[in-house]
């Protein structure tokens, strides 16, 4: 795969639905825990897309980059400075405290002065071809451009493939977070905050 074949685009409001779909899949249960069944006539992805369009916190479309190859979506990265990693006020307003508190640790834990990678998604047809490596290199470039001292992210402790990928890129375990009751069956080992840091 040649990086020159790829086009990086900042997501727009029109991309909110596809971005929400990718984020939901990659979250492995977090998005469903927060939004599923809230409103019978509104799908989970639609609710998430509405929040992305709200645009008054880090959880906004401007923090999402789409990667296309010949106009076809190949991947996505959703990332921002870790100082912004908190729960959007709009979510605090309309979600029940039980839903929010159960995953507050995941939604707020990061490492100061790092670039927080919320989501890396690669289209199934591109997996195993090196695109995830390109996205990780892109996130490091963004971090360094912002004069940050590293990258932090969340991953599930039972996701052996993701753990191996991050370790190969120089990440190490920073903190563990227990799974909430509604996600224990799916992720009994809880999750991990991982970090890759460098000298400023």
């Amino acid at each position: 795969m040649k990086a020159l074949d790829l086009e990086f685009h900042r997501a727009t409001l029109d991309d909110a639905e596809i971005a929400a779909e990718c984020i939901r899949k990659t979250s492995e249960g977090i998005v469903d825990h927060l939004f599923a069944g809230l409103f019978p006539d509104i799908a989970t992805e639609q609710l998430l897309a509405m929040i992305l369009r709200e645009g008054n916190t880090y959880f906004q479309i401007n923090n999402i980059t789409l990667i296309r190859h010949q106009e076809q979506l190949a991947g996505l990265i959703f990332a921002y400075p870790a100082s912004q990693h908190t729960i959007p006020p709009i979510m605090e307003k309309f979600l029940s405290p039980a839903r929010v508190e159960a995953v507050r640790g995941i939604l707020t834990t990061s490492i100061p002065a790092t670039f927080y990678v919320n989501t890396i998604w690669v289209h199934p047809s591109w997996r195993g071809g090196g695109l995830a490596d390109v996205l990780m290199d892109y996130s490091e470039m963004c971090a360094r451009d912002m004069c940050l001292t590293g990258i932090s992210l969340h991953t599930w402790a039972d996701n052996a493939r993701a753990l191996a990928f991050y370790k190969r890129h120089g990440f190490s375990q920073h903190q563990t977070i227990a799974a909430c009751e509604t996600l224990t069956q799916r992720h009994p080992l809880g999750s991990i905050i991982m970090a890759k840091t460098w000298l400023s």
Side-chain angles (χ1 to χ4, degrees), residues 3-200:
L4 292 178
D5 294 335
L6 301 172
E7 296 180 356
F8 286 66
H9 301 277
R10 186 73 66 186
T12 68
L13 294 178
D14 291 338
D15 299 313
E17 280 83 6
I18 186 62
E21 181 181 347
C22 297
I23 293 168
R24 176 180 178 248
K25 290 176 180 177
T26 309
S27 78
E28 294 188 35
I30 298 173
V31 170
D32 288 330
H33 163 79
L34 288 168
F35 303 120
L38 275 179
F39 304 102
D41 298 329
I42 305 178
T44 300
E45 289 91 346
Q46 290 177 300
L47 282 173
L48 185 56
M50 289 168 56
I51 295 172
L52 289 172
R53 290 194 188 98
E54 185 72 13
N56 61 355
T57 70
Y58 78 90
F59 215 92
Q60 60 179 292
I61 203 70
N62 289 341
N63 284 333
I64 296 173
T65 299
L66 302 179
I67 297 84
R68 291 192 170 95
H69 175 74
Q70 298 179 353
E71 300 186 3
Q72 297 297 314
L73 183 62
L76 169 152
I77 184 165
F78 175 26
Y80 40 83
S83 59
Q84 299 177 18
H85 188 58
T86 186
I87 299 172
I90 188 174
M91 286 171 57
E92 297 270 21
K93 286 180 181 178
F94 76 82
L95 293 176
S96 70
R99 289 193 188 222
V100 174
E101 290 304 321
V103 291
R104 184 174 293 276
I106 294 172
L107 299 180
T108 60
T109 303
S110 62
I111 300 169
T114 64
F115 191 58
Y116 188 84
V117 177
N118 182 298
T119 302
I120 284 183
W121 175 85
V122 175
H123 190 280
S125 64
W126 281 80
R127 289 173 192 168
L131 180 55
D133 297 303
V134 172
L135 296 183
M136 189 53 68
D137 291 344
Y138 173 78
S139 68
E140 181 168 338
M141 179 189 72
C142 291
R144 291 184 184 276
D145 285 349
M146 294 178 187
C147 298
L148 298 170
T149 60
I151 305 169
S152 58
L153 53 84
H154 161 273
T155 189
W156 293 108
D158 54 30
N159 191 336
R161 183 174 180 178
L163 287 170
F165 171 78
Y166 296 132
K167 289 177 180 177
R168 180 164 58 82
H169 278 271
F171 285 78
S172 58
Q173 181 173 323
H174 175 74
Q175 181 179 341
T176 58
I177 300 174
C180 67
E181 184 176 347
T182 55
L183 292 173
T184 299
Q185 185 173 2
R186 186 168 182 172
H187 302 290
L189 301 178
S191 59
I192 302 170
I193 301 298
M194 301 192 75
K196 175 182 180 180
T197 57
W198 49 79
L199 294 176
S200 58

